[in-house]
Amino acid sequence: MSDSTARRPLRADARRNYERILAAAQEAFAAHGAGASLEEIARHAGVGSATLHRHFPSRRSLLEVVFHDRVEALCARAQERAEESEPGAALFSWLGDFNAYAAASRGLAASLLHDGRDTDLLQQNDSCKMMITNAAGELLHAAQQAGAVRPGVHAEDLLTLVSAISLATEHHDDGRAGRLLDIAIDGIRPHRHHRAATNREAP
Amino acid sequence: MSDSTARRPLRADARRNYERILAAAQEAFAAHGAGASLEEIARHAGVGSATLHRHFPSRRSLLEVVFHDRVEALCARAQERAEESEPGAALFSWLGDFNAYAAASRGLAASLLHDGRDTDLLQQNDSCKMMITNAAGELLHAAQQAGAVRPGVHAEDLLTLVSAISLATEHHDDGRAGRLLDIAIDGIRPHRHHRAATNREAP
DNA sequence: GCATCAAGTGGGGTGGCTCTTCGGTTATCG
DNA sequence: CGATAACCGAAGAGCCACCCCACTTGATGC
């Protein structure tokens, strides 16, 4: 194994500041979204902005750590869903979980879509995105095996879609997110025969 | 009718600057998205930033005018689609048009989702959003009448969904936008009888 | 205990952004 | 051609992310 988490014991005050920044960031992102002021976070944590930038070289790296625990819980939830339901239902209800998590912690969806322009070239450490993609991928694969989802759909596409929905509905308090998610879920269900081109069923 | 377009003849140099700013903005938004620097736009237009802010009090108002022509064309396209195809096909192909337009002019999708936080309270002049919502609404209504789209879907929801897809896929050059759009379209189609839970069609 | 010193810190600087103010310029009209 | 109101942009206020460097402090060996 690599020594990624404990490269060097990290001095006590440094660790303390690290945690303070994290707490302040969690609060700020929840209150003002993923674009919250980093300087404000540093101020609220009682450290200089230089300290924040040393611990977290980019806004993205901060988001990554802040959301890590939550993402881990979400992935664990995927496991539970897989065990307690049949594949199709497991995937669909987990997508609901995802949406709920994204709504509860603003900025998560934006962070997952990650616009690419932030870190420009280094994109190896987007562990959150990878964790979720993997979790979604397993549920999706099982659902496809069971015939509850049609084969053409890929995990990344699905994740992009629900992230996009969560991001777009972040500011609407009506049930829009749920309705759009339902549309998306119906959209990945298998086609039932595609009967004829035009249907002329009079209601 | 009101005198909205010609309240007062507008001095010649003012009109000239107005057009220059618009041209520079079009270019900048296309190059850097809806968040492009206003100062950079002013610089590139050869005017002071004060002039830009006088003509366009908010970023949103600038986006509105820049995209107005394009949006008008898109709405006209909706009319054409309605006349040349049956209702369902008209809506679905127009959604493709929408996506193509959004991809061609970056920032349009972001502008339509408009996050709300920009102008905060005054939202009466989002004419672009209204024009598109109306155009989509007509196509949608016709499609629902014809039974090609299920009744529960609302125009605003549909617009939010496709805007979200366009925005999320803005940075991906693979066919992701098209695939997600297909999912969305399948998602608004009427359920076909809901026959049994699992289908067992052997191909 | 205490001296040593690298790891860690934050004040302050740089440059960029949005948006406003205000004295000077200029198109327009009598 | 002169008056005047419309129009202009340089300069500045108040944000922001990010960086440099002299100073502080926790860890460690004696």
Side-chain angles (χ1 to χ4, degrees):
Chain A
M1 320 298 164
S2 75
D3 47 3
S4 62
T5 55
R7 193 170 200 90
R8 202 81 73 82
L10 202 61
R11 242 169 64 172
D13 54 345
R15 178 145 223 83
R16 193 170 52 82
N17 282 340
Y18 182 92
E19 300 294 346
R20 280 195 188 182
I21 292 169
L22 232 49
Q26 193 153 22
E27 211 170 315
F29 288 144
H32 308 108
S37 159
L38 297 183
E39 211 165 59
E40 168 91 6
I41 290 174
R43 214 177 302 131
H44 196 266
V47 304
S49 69
T51 300
L52 185 149
H53 285 287
R54 194 175 318 107
H55 282 297
F56 306 97
S58 70
R59 154 173 262 109
R60 174 154 190 75
S61 65
L62 180 53
L63 284 167
E64 200 74 42
V65 179
V66 165
F67 289 135
H68 186 268
D69 289 358
R70 205 170 283 266
V71 166
E72 218 162 37
L74 182 57
C75 292
R77 194 90 186 84
Q79 272 293 24
E80 289 175 30
R81 290 293 196 188
E83 287 162 11
E84 79 191 19
S85 309
E86 42 169 351
L91 175 63
F92 300 149
S93 54
W94 183 76
L95 290 180
D97 294 338
F98 177 93
N99 192 53
Y101 268 66
S105 55
R106 289 182 48 183
L108 209 173
S111 167
L112 290 176
L113 287 175
H114 91 286
D115 316 77
R117 70 199 143 161
D118 192 350
T119 50
D120 264 337
L121 284 182
L122 70 138
Q123 78 279 26
Q124 73 281 18
N125 71 338
D126 43 12
S127 60
C128 281
K129 187 175 185 177
M130 209 153 72
M131 284 170 62
I132 293 200
T133 304
N134 287 343
E138 282 180 34
L139 287 176
L140 177 63
H141 186 70
Q144 284 172 327
Q145 289 287 336
V149 169
R150 69 160 183 267
V153 181
H154 299 306
E156 282 116 1
D157 286 2
L158 189 55
L159 191 61
T160 302
L161 184 54
V162 292
S163 298
I165 290 176
S166 296
L167 183 59
T169 58
E170 207 167 53
H171 302 288
H172 299 283
D173 48 349
D174 52 354
R176 191 169 299 201
R179 294 198 301 274
L180 298 190
L181 189 57
D182 284 344
I183 291 177
I185 288 176
D186 270 334
I188 62 173
R189 286 203 157 100
H191 301 151
R192 322 204 187 237
H193 281 216
H194 247 167
R195 72 186 248 211
T198 43
N199 52 353
R200 44 191 184 81
E201 51 183 0
Chain B
M1 320 300 165
S2 75
D3 47 4
S4 63
T5 55
R7 194 173 199 86
R8 202 80 73 83
L10 202 63
R11 243 170 65 173
D13 53 347
R15 177 147 223 84
R16 192 170 52 82
N17 281 342
Y18 182 91
E19 300 294 348
R20 279 194 188 181
I21 291 170
L22 232 48
Q26 194 153 21
E27 210 170 315
F29 288 143
H32 309 109
S37 159
L38 298 183
E39 208 165 59
E40 168 92 6
I41 291 174
R43 215 177 302 132
H44 195 266
V47 305
S49 69
T51 301
L52 186 150
H53 286 286
R54 196 176 314 109
H55 282 298
F56 306 97
S58 70
R59 155 174 262 109
R60 175 153 189 74
S61 65
L62 180 53
L63 283 166
E64 200 74 43
V65 178
V66 165
F67 289 136
H68 186 268
D69 290 359
R70 205 170 283 268
V71 166
E72 218 161 37
L74 182 56
C75 292
R77 193 91 186 84
Q79 272 293 24
E80 290 175 30
R81 290 293 197 187
E83 286 162 12
E84 79 192 18
S85 308
E86 40 169 350
L91 174 63
F92 300 149
S93 54
W94 181 76
L95 289 179
D97 294 337
F98 177 94
N99 191 55
Y101 268 67
S105 55
R106 289 183 48 183
L108 209 173
S111 167
L112 290 176
L113 287 176
H114 90 286
D115 317 77
R117 71 199 142 164
D118 191 351
T119 51
D120 264 337
L121 284 181
L122 72 136
Q123 78 280 29
Q124 73 279 19
N125 71 337
D126 43 11
S127 60
C128 282
K129 187 175 185 179
M130 208 154 72
M131 284 170 61
I132 294 201
T133 304
N134 287 341
E138 281 178 35
L139 287 177
L140 177 62
H141 186 70
Q144 285 173 326
Q145 289 286 336
V149 170
R150 70 160 183 269
V153 181
H154 299 305
E156 282 115 0
D157 285 3
L158 189 55
L159 191 61
T160 301
L161 184 54
V162 292
S163 298
I165 290 176
S166 295
L167 183 59
T169 57
E170 208 166 53
H171 303 286
H172 299 283
D173 49 349
D174 52 355
R176 191 170 299 202
R179 294 198 301 274
L180 297 190
L181 190 57
D182 284 344
I183 290 177
I185 288 176
D186 270 334
I188 63 173
R189 286 203 157 100
H191 302 152
R192 323 207 183 234
H193 288 214
H194 249 165
R195 75 182 247 207
T198 43
N199 55 350
R200 44 190 185 81
E201 54 183 356

